[in-house]
Amino acid sequence: MSAHASCTAAVMHGANRPVELQHFSAPELEPGGVLLETLFSEVCGTDVHLSHGRLAGVPYPIIPGHVSVGKVLAVRGEPRDVDGRPVRVGATVTFLDVVGTCNACWFCLVGKMPNRCPSRRVYGVTCSAKEGLYGGWSQLIYLKPGVSILEVPSTLMPERVIAGGCALPTAIHAVDTARIQLGDRVLIQGAGPVGLSAATLALLSGAGAVYVVERHEVRLAMARDFGVDEAIRLDVTGSNGHVERILALTDGRGVDVTIEATGVPAAVKDGIRMTRDGGRYVVVGHYTDHGEVGLNPHTEINRKHLEIRGVWGVDFSHFHRMLRILDRHGARVAGGKGWEHMVSRTYGLEEVNQALADVETGRIVKGLIRPNPVRTSR
Amino acid sequence: MSAHASCTAAVMHGANRPVELQHFSAPELEPGGVLLETLFSEVCGTDVHLSHGRLAGVPYPIIPGHVSVGKVLAVRGEPRDVDGRPVRVGATVTFLDVVGTCNACWFCLVGKMPNRCPSRRVYGVTCSAKEGLYGGWSQLIYLKPGVSILEVPSTLMPERVIAGGCALPTAIHAVDTARIQLGDRVLIQGAGPVGLSAATLALLSGAGAVYVVERHEVRLAMARDFGVDEAIRLDVTGSNGHVERILALTDGRGVDVTIEATGVPAAVKDGIRMTRDGGRYVVVGHYTDHGEVGLNPHTEINRKHLEIRGVWGVDFSHFHRMLRILDRHGARVAGGKGWEHMVSRTYGLEEVNQALADVETGRIVKGLIRPNPVRTSR
Amino acid sequence: MSAHASCTAAVMHGANRPVELQHFSAPELEPGGVLLETLFSEVCGTDVHLSHGRLAGVPYPIIPGHVSVGKVLAVRGEPRDVDGRPVRVGATVTFLDVVGTCNACWFCLVGKMPNRCPSRRVYGVTCSAKEGLYGGWSQLIYLKPGVSILEVPSTLMPERVIAGGCALPTAIHAVDTARIQLGDRVLIQGAGPVGLSAATLALLSGAGAVYVVERHEVRLAMARDFGVDEAIRLDVTGSNGHVERILALTDGRGVDVTIEATGVPAAVKDGIRMTRDGGRYVVVGHYTDHGEVGLNPHTEINRKHLEIRGVWGVDFSHFHRMLRILDRHGARVAGGKGWEHMVSRTYGLEEVNQALADVETGRIVKGLIRPNPVRTSR
Amino acid sequence: MSAHASCTAAVMHGANRPVELQHFSAPELEPGGVLLETLFSEVCGTDVHLSHGRLAGVPYPIIPGHVSVGKVLAVRGEPRDVDGRPVRVGATVTFLDVVGTCNACWFCLVGKMPNRCPSRRVYGVTCSAKEGLYGGWSQLIYLKPGVSILEVPSTLMPERVIAGGCALPTAIHAVDTARIQLGDRVLIQGAGPVGLSAATLALLSGAGAVYVVERHEVRLAMARDFGVDEAIRLDVTGSNGHVERILALTDGRGVDVTIEATGVPAAVKDGIRMTRDGGRYVVVGHYTDHGEVGLNPHTEINRKHLEIRGVWGVDFSHFHRMLRILDRHGARVAGGKGWEHMVSRTYGLEEVNQALADVETGRIVKGLIRPNPVRTSR
């Protein structure tokens, strides 16, 4: 195991401090443990929040990077993936970033919300770098026994999997909750990775029309590339041109389903206006606290006969279906450019501070981290 | 038809004017029309709103009283009830107050929300007294052809049906939407007629516990009479004793299901705190506009993984089930006092202004209107 | 109205008698009535059953053809379509073949199954030719007041609408009931018009894989044209190669969802074997009685934790969504050949007996009837 | 720990051999292990099947008794129950009989059917007596680490919990699946423990009427004790009096929901006749293979627009809710006699062969096993 006796990882030491590279020894594998050479990780909005210390309970220093794809370098014992196949050295795999759900508490067994299990920990977020290589911004990742691993089929290239990344399973959860029927008109608020993934999934679900409302022109262009029926610039002047446009497109009634993925509280009020009476309104983009919005229970909920659903996190089923969806549909989206068209740029480990800045300013839609040098063959 | 050639009705002439008694001629029946002698009508919160002109589109003068029970005085042709039985002279019947849904528009045929059909009209609310006897605060009621009529079974006394009144089908709709499972803990906010009906239905649904939070002592006492597990006085001082009590009763997690029936915007925020992550929050009491409440999309919807449902009006299925529920369960609720225990007082036609005042001040829970003198036999 | 003072229609006089052409006078329009020049009608399996007298309650003679597309020749009064638009002379329209649901009975109002309303009548099936032009195998069709009409958008050509025909709304109903999630594996049994429509809708719904099992090679080829993942020839020898193939494609577990559209009782048993534990099995193809199949409640229902759903008929919402689905997705299916690729042949009125024979023998997938000569412009 | 150094258990050695008493040493506790003194176990239909060798994969010899209630004699380490409370010596507890679900396979993580997890094992059924005290027909029961334990609240007596036993969580699962709405008419086929529990739960769910069809008079009488609206003797003569009676009670339409709990294949056909078009039919009683029944896909599934659901086993959520339901409602059922009224007889360990015979012949409804002598205080 000398070839990977040590590695480099990018470490976040706390709020508003630059991420720094650091050397780590390769871990001793426990029985059932797996060591990965990282092919790709990603940088997402959560990483920006982490860099500003906005999440509670983060055990800095951490190695960011929650969803990743890697190549199996070593295993100990006979770990198996969720489909029951042995995890083989040399295989390309991905894994659910959430680990340690207990399957013994009320949330796991009665509430059936492992996404709210108090024991859950998240690679790249709530695992300390002092404990080991538990994040994707590292040349090596250690998968503890019990991590839910999936082999990436040979028909599915790693770039496409990581282009789905953490946003796609979240969007799958949101779209499931939205219960889109064939022919429904769907509005997506926000075209960051989650919104863009939700818009693409809505198209794949046979929606009658998919509209996107978004502030940044680069994201509107991307949404058009992915084939939405209309990408509408958010009107923040108060004249509400975007609301009028959506109503004009929908016989004055509003869309059947809206998925909110901007994270801006005021967007919720705006979105409800664009949703029809008796429609469904899914809130998936509010992963940090940006305060309140005033809602009118009479006109906006009760009389409107509206269904509002918050969607938090994912469970393994969403992650499992991500691979199947990408394998079956990932090549043909974006007019044949494939899911990886969502990726704006790939960064090396030494560029992660730049990557964080680019996500924060909205210059890019989705950024990848490639911690190891490119090799000729995988 | 000389016995009912004319009648007296209570007429509301507009906002903030006293209701006055007026004489009307009995109508000429159209084919399929039915004339009722009113046994009972009711006074509800909507009537108070009507008396203050708070509802849009009301064609004053009107005869209030939307849900009523009557005895068939005359029919023309062969009208049938929804179960296909002929409507017979002498029978006791009730009818859905909503008429004229078109079964031809998008709301009726595609949205499947006849409760949002623009053609719908409501007895006692949006039918003018100039058109005829279309309200229950009258000795006679005229049922136009097409009104959905139900014969009251002989096992079910008229007092019990009107004790259900307009609140019970609304509460059925809310409880259906709440999808209460056996053993669920349920919170009802507000113990007016809708809240009290919802609490009683939750008990009938096999909830593991039913809690009521309410401001008025007379209503708390009534809730206890109906057998809720705990009736908690609303703490409006800011110390939030009621919230702490609910959390203490529910392992600190909050209830599985909350039904909001106070109509106060701030109650929505309060109620969400008392509902568990992944729970369901049904808004049914907000029938008039009392402004906004500030909600936090991150902590109160998204991260909470909450489902919020607005429930507007009823359709005939709720009304139909009301009779079956009352017939099967109506006698044993309230510790055997029966559903009619909800009635605080019965008023004659000449007392309707007093009835409105009593509802407005919360002195009574539910008030009935009996437009005709009591007779020995029905 | 002299231009359409009379017309020719194809009349079915009873069981096993050839369909004959007959002259009819154009009808006098009632207020709200609409007269159509037929652009297209269709011939489907139900028409074959009608020709053999296999349906109960058919008032022969009838003019077959339940779903049709036509051009408005004349209107009386101001009929409107379901979206509230006036029905204009010259417009291309289609209409729901089911008329006369009462919106007053238990099935309509309580059961919410207008598809089971005893008052419902069906153009081309349960309307007698003695009453008028109530079927699509006629140069003119009379739409009585109350028929649910939809204007065909100018972006949607009539051939594509009739290619959807009666099979597509039925398939929409089945696919709705199947609740296909993104990534689900779906099996369609039978690739006649309903099965092929269901397969195409499953593809449009983002299924992870769509498999078809079918007996006729012409239909297997068509299914491949429409892009299913695998079209498998039904093995009727008892070796069950098709079952083994499906299990091999699905990790030995079977598909998540199966839709049965063959109408052969034995197919139900077969299909359950190919469906996974906890999966969903939708029965939509059994429109006539072909007897029983032996099912084992222990192994095939209870222990399998299976959901089986029968799906009967459609309501207007399915028909309404059909147009939206065809308008948005109809051009790109079948590798860009469009939904009309499903049409094998178009017949004139004088060829309807041939059309019936072709459907019965399975020589064609879908046959159209074009009662009027082709014109240069629509 | 000398007081419980050894114990007696009843051991089933294989098909059609009498159960024999045998001495066992008390186990060495692993960390997290719990030793119970058995208060009550039960004898159910599965035990009869086990005694005839009808279940596959049973590792005889076994100690039968899957659901049990016991008093904690000893713990090692700090085991906690699912609500997070420490398991204390002296406490009364019960536990889910299903153990060892892996939370790592497709069934657990993707299909979300731990009831179909291949790793699951069941106390009293698939745990060998050679491995230890893994069944309730024993004075002591050993709870391995990871068993899902629940403390029985002091307000709930052990007799009532075991009267629920294994049948009640199964019935909860069935009734959840049946989605009974307030006012629905419900038919239960069979009044053994599962059927009787389902009937009682349907009553607790606010059904408009609950009917039971059953063959044995002792069970019909018990159903009447529990308050069903009508208990109808199964007519096996072919005249189908029970079917006619149900149709007469339901306006000729049949009930809204039927739950089949007889396990007789022919009952499925019978029950479908008694269920209305568009109703729900839940199959829960078919735990062993008794062959096929002929069903007609056209008339009995498709045209009937029927939903049929198989319900297999339970998960922990059903077991958890069982305690809450019994605690809240268990005293008032059966006209105040309480859930324990379902118990026909309690047997000592030396009487277990008699208990099996009594269940098999239908002489009793529910039999308890009490392995230890009665003590004055618990």
Side-chain angles (χ1 to χ4, degrees):
Chain A
M1 226 174 279
S2 57
H4 39 83
S6 75
C7 74
T8 301
V11 178
M12 197 177 271
H13 288 278
N16 302 315
R17 295 171 54 186
V19 177
E20 292 171 0
L21 298 191
Q22 198 172 316
H23 278 270
F24 287 83
S25 303
E28 198 72 30
L29 270 62
E30 301 153 278
V34 172
L35 187 67
L36 297 188
E37 180 189 56
T38 312
L39 294 172
F40 291 103
S41 189
E42 59 176 342
V43 51
C44 81
T46 298
D47 298 312
V48 173
H49 295 314
L50 287 169
S51 75
H52 292 303
R54 290 195 197 114
L55 275 71
V58 176
Y60 297 101
I62 61 167
I63 303 172
H66 33 287
V67 172
S68 308
V69 183
K71 188 174 162 181
V72 177
L73 280 185
V75 303
R76 184 165 167 205
E78 295 193 333
R80 290 180 175 269
D81 81 357
V82 173
D83 286 327
R85 293 172 297 216
V87 175
R88 297 168 299 104
V89 170
T92 301
V93 302
T94 185
F95 60 96
L96 185 69
D97 56 343
V98 176
V99 296
T101 51
C102 70
N103 201 33
C105 73
W106 184 90
F107 285 99
C108 283
L109 289 182
V110 183
K112 293 178 185 172
M113 293 184 289
N115 50 333
R116 304 295 298 130
C117 170
S119 302
R120 73 200 282 269
R121 296 180 66 195
V122 184
Y123 267 64
V125 180
T126 55
C127 300
S128 173
K130 292 176 182 166
E131 297 172 87
L133 297 167
Y134 298 136
W137 296 9
S138 168
Q139 293 177 320
L140 299 178
I141 307 175
Y142 178 47
L143 305 185
K144 294 186 278 198
V147 170
S148 296
I149 300 172
L150 276 176
E151 185 170 335
V152 176
S154 60
T155 45
L156 186 50
M157 59 182 183
E159 290 85 346
R160 192 165 287 158
V161 175
I162 198 66
C166 64
L168 181 48
T170 303
I172 292 171
H173 194 183
V175 167
D176 282 358
T177 304
R179 304 191 312 278
I180 297 171
Q181 285 196 307
L182 288 161
D184 272 353
R185 287 155 172 167
V186 179
L187 167 64
I188 311 292
Q189 296 181 272
V194 170
L196 202 49
S197 295
T200 306
L201 293 174
L203 288 165
L204 286 176
S205 300
V210 178
Y211 310 119
V212 163
V213 169
E214 161 64 59
R215 170 188 305 243
H216 297 292
E217 193 50 55
V218 57
R219 292 178 167 189
L220 287 166
M222 186 74 94
R224 288 183 197 106
D225 285 354
F226 274 82
V228 301
D229 294 76
E230 195 159 325
I232 301 163
R233 183 148 198 158
L234 178 69
D235 181 345
V236 293
T237 65
S239 69
N240 282 314
H242 62 284
V243 176
E244 285 156 25
R245 180 62 188 148
I246 289 292
L247 294 178
L249 285 164
T250 54
D251 313 299
R253 278 194 301 265
V255 297
D256 300 294
V257 174
T258 297
I259 296 177
E260 153 54 25
T262 69
V264 179
V268 173
K269 192 172 190 71
D270 212 32
I272 289 175
R273 284 181 63 193
M274 294 184 273
T275 308
R276 71 164 169 86
D277 287 6
R280 298 182 291 290
Y281 191 82
V282 175
V283 179
V284 67
H286 292 255
Y287 266 52
T288 44
D289 188 349
H290 291 286
E292 296 187 344
V293 59
L295 294 181
N296 185 310
H298 170 61
T299 56
E300 295 176 322
I301 301 176
N302 196 344
R303 189 165 183 285
K304 200 169 176 77
H305 203 65
L306 190 66
E307 174 179 343
I308 302 174
R309 290 290 300 265
V311 172
W312 183 253
V314 303
D315 65 36
F316 184 76
S317 72
H318 305 104
F319 195 72
H320 186 267
R321 282 161 59 210
M322 172 181 77
L323 283 201
R324 200 182 282 175
I325 292 168
L326 286 174
D327 197 21
R328 178 63 174 79
H329 302 289
R332 68 183 174 93
V333 299
K337 298 192 188 79
W339 214 283
E340 57 277 20
H341 183 61
M342 213 174 280
V343 176
S344 303
R345 187 176 157 189
T346 300
Y347 302 83
L349 269 193
E350 68 289 353
E351 300 171 298
V352 293
N353 288 301
Q354 182 61 45
L356 285 167
D358 288 350
V359 168
E360 186 158 16
T361 56
R363 269 194 296 273
I364 62 172
V365 176
K366 185 168 191 111
L368 301 190
I369 306 294
R370 176 153 41 191
N372 288 293
V374 188
R375 295 197 268 180
T376 323
S377 64
R378 32 183 295 229
Chain B
M1 226 173 280
S2 57
H4 39 82
S6 76
C7 72
T8 301
V11 178
M12 197 177 271
H13 288 277
N16 302 315
R17 295 170 54 185
V19 178
E20 293 172 358
L21 298 190
Q22 197 172 316
H23 279 270
F24 288 83
S25 304
E28 197 73 29
L29 271 60
E30 301 152 278
V34 172
L35 187 66
L36 297 188
E37 179 190 56
T38 312
L39 294 172
F40 291 103
S41 190
E42 58 176 342
V43 51
C44 81
T46 298
D47 298 312
V48 173
H49 295 313
L50 286 168
S51 76
H52 293 303
R54 291 194 196 114
L55 274 71
V58 177
Y60 298 101
I62 60 167
I63 302 171
H66 34 285
V67 172
S68 308
V69 182
K71 188 174 164 181
V72 177
L73 280 185
V75 303
R76 182 163 168 209
E78 295 193 332
R80 292 180 173 267
D81 80 358
V82 174
D83 287 326
R85 294 171 297 217
V87 175
R88 298 166 297 105
V89 170
T92 301
V93 302
T94 185
F95 59 97
L96 185 69
D97 55 344
V98 175
V99 296
T101 51
C102 70
N103 201 31
C105 73
W106 184 91
F107 285 99
C108 284
L109 290 181
V110 184
K112 293 178 184 171
M113 292 184 290
N115 50 332
R116 305 294 299 129
C117 170
S119 302
R120 72 201 283 269
R121 296 179 66 194
V122 185
Y123 267 64
V125 180
T126 55
C127 299
S128 173
K130 292 176 182 166
E131 297 172 87
L133 296 166
Y134 298 137
W137 296 8
S138 168
Q139 293 177 319
L140 299 177
I141 307 174
Y142 178 46
L143 305 185
K144 295 186 276 198
V147 170
S148 296
I149 300 172
L150 277 176
E151 184 170 336
V152 176
S154 60
T155 45
L156 185 53
M157 59 183 183
E159 290 85 344
R160 191 166 286 159
V161 175
I162 198 67
C166 64
L168 180 49
T170 304
I172 293 172
H173 193 183
V175 167
D176 281 359
T177 304
R179 304 191 312 279
I180 296 172
Q181 284 196 307
L182 287 162
D184 272 353
R185 288 157 171 165
V186 179
L187 167 65
I188 310 292
Q189 296 181 271
V194 170
L196 202 50
S197 296
T200 306
L201 293 174
L203 288 165
L204 287 176
S205 299
V210 178
Y211 310 119
V212 162
V213 169
E214 161 65 57
R215 169 188 307 243
H216 296 293
E217 193 51 54
V218 57
R219 293 178 167 189
L220 287 167
M222 185 74 94
R224 286 182 198 107
D225 285 354
F226 274 82
V228 302
D229 294 76
E230 195 160 324
I232 302 164
R233 183 146 197 160
L234 178 69
D235 180 346
V236 293
T237 64
S239 69
N240 281 314
H242 62 285
V243 176
E244 285 156 26
R245 180 64 188 148
I246 289 292
L247 294 178
L249 286 164
T250 54
D251 313 299
R253 278 195 301 266
V255 298
D256 300 295
V257 174
T258 297
I259 296 177
E260 153 55 24
T262 68
V264 180
V268 173
K269 192 172 191 70
D270 212 32
I272 289 175
R273 283 180 64 193
M274 294 185 273
T275 309
R276 73 164 168 85
D277 288 5
R280 299 182 290 291
Y281 191 81
V282 175
V283 180
V284 67
H286 292 255
Y287 266 52
T288 44
D289 189 348
H290 292 286
E292 296 187 345
V293 59
L295 294 181
N296 185 309
H298 170 61
T299 56
E300 294 176 323
I301 302 176
N302 197 344
R303 188 164 182 285
K304 201 170 175 77
H305 202 69
L306 190 67
E307 175 178 343
I308 302 173
R309 291 290 300 265
V311 171
W312 184 252
V314 303
D315 65 35
F316 184 77
S317 72
H318 306 105
F319 196 73
H320 187 267
R321 282 162 58 211
M322 173 181 78
L323 283 202
R324 200 183 282 174
I325 291 168
L326 286 174
D327 197 21
R328 178 64 174 79
H329 303 288
R332 66 183 174 96
V333 300
K337 299 192 186 77
W339 214 283
E340 57 277 20
H341 182 60
M342 214 174 280
V343 176
S344 304
R345 187 176 156 189
T346 299
Y347 302 83
L349 268 193
E350 68 290 354
E351 300 171 297
V352 293
N353 288 301
Q354 181 62 44
L356 285 168
D358 288 349
V359 168
E360 187 159 15
T361 56
R363 268 194 297 271
I364 62 171
V365 176
K366 185 169 190 111
L368 301 191
I369 305 294
R370 177 156 35 194
N372 288 293
V374 189
R375 294 197 269 181
T376 321
S377 65
R378 42 184 286 230
Chain C
M1 226 174 280
S2 57
H4 39 82
S6 75
C7 73
T8 301
V11 178
M12 196 177 272
H13 289 278
N16 302 315
R17 295 170 53 186
V19 178
E20 291 171 0
L21 298 191
Q22 198 171 317
H23 277 271
F24 288 83
S25 304
E28 199 72 31
L29 271 60
E30 301 153 276
V34 173
L35 187 66
L36 297 188
E37 180 190 56
T38 312
L39 295 171
F40 291 102
S41 190
E42 59 176 342
V43 52
C44 80
T46 299
D47 298 312
V48 174
H49 295 313
L50 286 168
S51 74
H52 293 302
R54 290 194 197 115
L55 275 70
V58 177
Y60 298 102
I62 61 167
I63 303 172
H66 34 287
V67 172
S68 307
V69 182
K71 188 174 163 180
V72 177
L73 279 185
V75 304
R76 184 166 168 204
E78 295 193 333
R80 291 180 174 269
D81 80 357
V82 173
D83 287 327
R85 293 172 297 217
V87 175
R88 298 167 299 105
V89 170
T92 301
V93 301
T94 185
F95 59 96
L96 185 70
D97 56 343
V98 175
V99 297
T101 51
C102 69
N103 200 32
C105 73
W106 183 91
F107 285 99
C108 283
L109 289 182
V110 183
K112 293 178 184 172
M113 292 184 291
N115 49 332
R116 304 295 298 129
C117 170
S119 302
R120 73 200 282 270
R121 297 180 63 194
V122 185
Y123 268 63
V125 180
T126 55
C127 299
S128 173
K130 291 176 183 166
E131 297 172 88
L133 297 167
Y134 298 136
W137 296 9
S138 167
Q139 294 178 319
L140 299 177
I141 308 174
Y142 177 48
L143 305 185
K144 294 187 276 196
V147 171
S148 296
I149 300 172
L150 276 176
E151 184 170 335
V152 176
S154 61
T155 45
L156 186 52
M157 59 182 185
E159 290 84 345
R160 191 166 288 158
V161 176
I162 198 66
C166 64
L168 181 49
T170 303
I172 292 172
H173 193 183
V175 167
D176 281 359
T177 304
R179 304 191 313 279
I180 296 172
Q181 284 197 307
L182 288 161
D184 273 353
R185 287 155 171 166
V186 179
L187 166 65
I188 311 293
Q189 296 181 273
V194 170
L196 202 49
S197 296
T200 305
L201 293 174
L203 288 166
L204 286 176
S205 300
V210 178
Y211 310 119
V212 163
V213 168
E214 161 65 58
R215 169 187 307 241
H216 296 293
E217 193 52 54
V218 57
R219 292 177 167 190
L220 287 167
M222 186 72 95
R224 287 183 198 106
D225 285 354
F226 274 82
V228 302
D229 294 76
E230 194 159 324
I232 301 163
R233 184 149 198 157
L234 178 69
D235 181 346
V236 293
T237 64
S239 70
N240 281 314
H242 61 286
V243 176
E244 284 156 25
R245 179 64 188 148
I246 289 292
L247 293 178
L249 285 165
T250 54
D251 313 300
R253 278 195 300 265
V255 297
D256 300 294
V257 174
T258 297
I259 297 176
E260 153 56 23
T262 69
V264 179
V268 174
K269 192 172 191 71
D270 212 31
I272 289 175
R273 283 180 64 193
M274 294 185 273
T275 308
R276 72 165 169 86
D277 287 7
R280 298 182 290 291
Y281 191 82
V282 174
V283 179
V284 66
H286 292 256
Y287 266 52
T288 44
D289 188 349
H290 291 286
E292 296 187 346
V293 58
L295 294 181
N296 185 309
H298 170 61
T299 56
E300 294 176 323
I301 302 177
N302 197 344
R303 188 165 183 285
K304 200 170 176 78
H305 202 66
L306 189 67
E307 175 178 343
I308 302 173
R309 291 289 300 265
V311 172
W312 183 254
V314 303
D315 65 36
F316 184 77
S317 72
H318 306 104
F319 195 73
H320 186 267
R321 283 162 57 211
M322 172 181 77
L323 283 201
R324 199 182 284 175
I325 291 168
L326 285 175
D327 197 21
R328 177 63 174 80
H329 302 288
R332 67 183 175 94
V333 300
K337 297 192 188 78
W339 214 283
E340 58 278 19
H341 183 60
M342 214 174 280
V343 176
S344 303
R345 187 176 156 189
T346 298
Y347 302 82
L349 269 192
E350 68 289 355
E351 301 170 298
V352 293
N353 288 303
Q354 181 61 43
L356 285 168
D358 289 349
V359 168
E360 186 158 16
T361 56
R363 268 195 296 272
I364 62 172
V365 176
K366 184 167 191 110
L368 301 190
I369 305 295
R370 176 151 42 191
N372 288 294
V374 187
R375 293 197 268 180
T376 321
S377 64
R378 33 182 297 225
Chain D
M1 227 174 277
S2 56
H4 40 83
S6 75
C7 73
T8 301
V11 178
M12 196 177 271
H13 288 276
N16 302 315
R17 295 170 53 185
V19 178
E20 292 171 359
L21 298 191
Q22 197 172 319
H23 277 272
F24 287 83
S25 303
E28 198 72 30
L29 269 62
E30 300 153 278
V34 173
L35 187 66
L36 297 188
E37 180 189 56
T38 312
L39 295 172
F40 292 102
S41 190
E42 57 176 342
V43 52
C44 81
T46 299
D47 298 312
V48 173
H49 294 314
L50 286 168
S51 74
H52 293 302
R54 289 193 198 117
L55 275 70
V58 177
Y60 298 103
I62 60 168
I63 303 172
H66 34 287
V67 172
S68 307
V69 183
K71 188 174 164 181
V72 177
L73 280 185
V75 304
R76 184 165 166 206
E78 296 193 332
R80 291 180 173 269
D81 81 357
V82 173
D83 286 327
R85 293 171 297 216
V87 175
R88 298 169 298 106
V89 170
T92 301
V93 301
T94 184
F95 59 96
L96 185 69
D97 56 343
V98 175
V99 296
T101 52
C102 69
N103 200 33
C105 73
W106 184 91
F107 284 99
C108 283
L109 290 181
V110 183
K112 293 177 184 172
M113 292 184 290
N115 50 332
R116 304 296 297 130
C117 170
S119 302
R120 73 199 284 268
R121 297 180 64 195
V122 185
Y123 268 64
V125 180
T126 55
C127 299
S128 173
K130 292 176 184 166
E131 297 172 87
L133 297 166
Y134 298 136
W137 295 8
S138 167
Q139 293 178 319
L140 299 178
I141 308 175
Y142 178 47
L143 305 185
K144 294 186 277 196
V147 170
S148 297
I149 300 172
L150 276 176
E151 184 170 335
V152 176
S154 60
T155 45
L156 186 51
M157 59 180 183
E159 290 83 346
R160 192 166 286 157
V161 176
I162 197 67
C166 64
L168 180 49
T170 303
I172 292 172
H173 193 183
V175 167
D176 281 358
T177 304
R179 304 190 313 279
I180 296 172
Q181 285 197 306
L182 288 161
D184 273 352
R185 286 156 172 167
V186 179
L187 167 64
I188 311 292
Q189 296 181 272
V194 170
L196 201 50
S197 296
T200 306
L201 293 174
L203 289 166
L204 287 176
S205 300
V210 178
Y211 310 120
V212 162
V213 168
E214 160 65 57
R215 170 188 306 242
H216 297 293
E217 193 50 56
V218 57
R219 292 177 166 190
L220 287 167
M222 185 74 94
R224 286 183 198 107
D225 285 354
F226 274 83
V228 303
D229 294 76
E230 193 159 324
I232 302 163
R233 184 147 198 158
L234 178 70
D235 181 345
V236 293
T237 65
S239 69
N240 281 314
H242 61 285
V243 175
E244 284 156 26
R245 180 62 188 150
I246 289 291
L247 294 178
L249 286 164
T250 54
D251 314 300
R253 277 194 301 265
V255 297
D256 301 293
V257 174
T258 298
I259 297 177
E260 153 54 24
T262 68
V264 180
V268 173
K269 194 172 189 70
D270 212 32
I272 289 174
R273 284 180 64 192
M274 294 185 272
T275 308
R276 72 165 168 84
D277 286 7
R280 298 182 291 291
Y281 191 81
V282 175
V283 179
V284 67
H286 293 255
Y287 266 53
T288 44
D289 189 349
H290 291 286
E292 296 188 345
V293 59
L295 294 181
N296 185 309
H298 170 62
T299 56
E300 294 176 323
I301 302 177
N302 197 346
R303 189 165 182 285
K304 199 170 177 78
H305 204 65
L306 190 67
E307 175 179 342
I308 302 173
R309 291 290 300 265
V311 171
W312 183 252
V314 303
D315 66 35
F316 184 77
S317 71
H318 306 104
F319 195 73
H320 186 267
R321 282 162 58 211
M322 173 181 77
L323 283 202
R324 200 182 282 174
I325 292 168
L326 285 175
D327 197 22
R328 177 65 175 79
H329 303 289
R332 68 183 174 93
V333 299
K337 297 192 188 78
W339 214 281
E340 59 276 20
H341 183 60
M342 214 174 278
V343 176
S344 302
R345 185 175 158 190
T346 299
Y347 302 83
L349 269 193
E350 68 289 355
E351 301 171 297
V352 293
N353 288 303
Q354 181 62 45
L356 286 167
D358 289 349
V359 168
E360 186 158 15
T361 55
R363 269 195 295 272
I364 62 172
V365 176
K366 185 168 191 110
L368 301 190
I369 305 294
R370 177 155 37 194
N372 289 293
V374 189
R375 293 197 269 181
T376 323
S377 64
R378 34 184 294 225

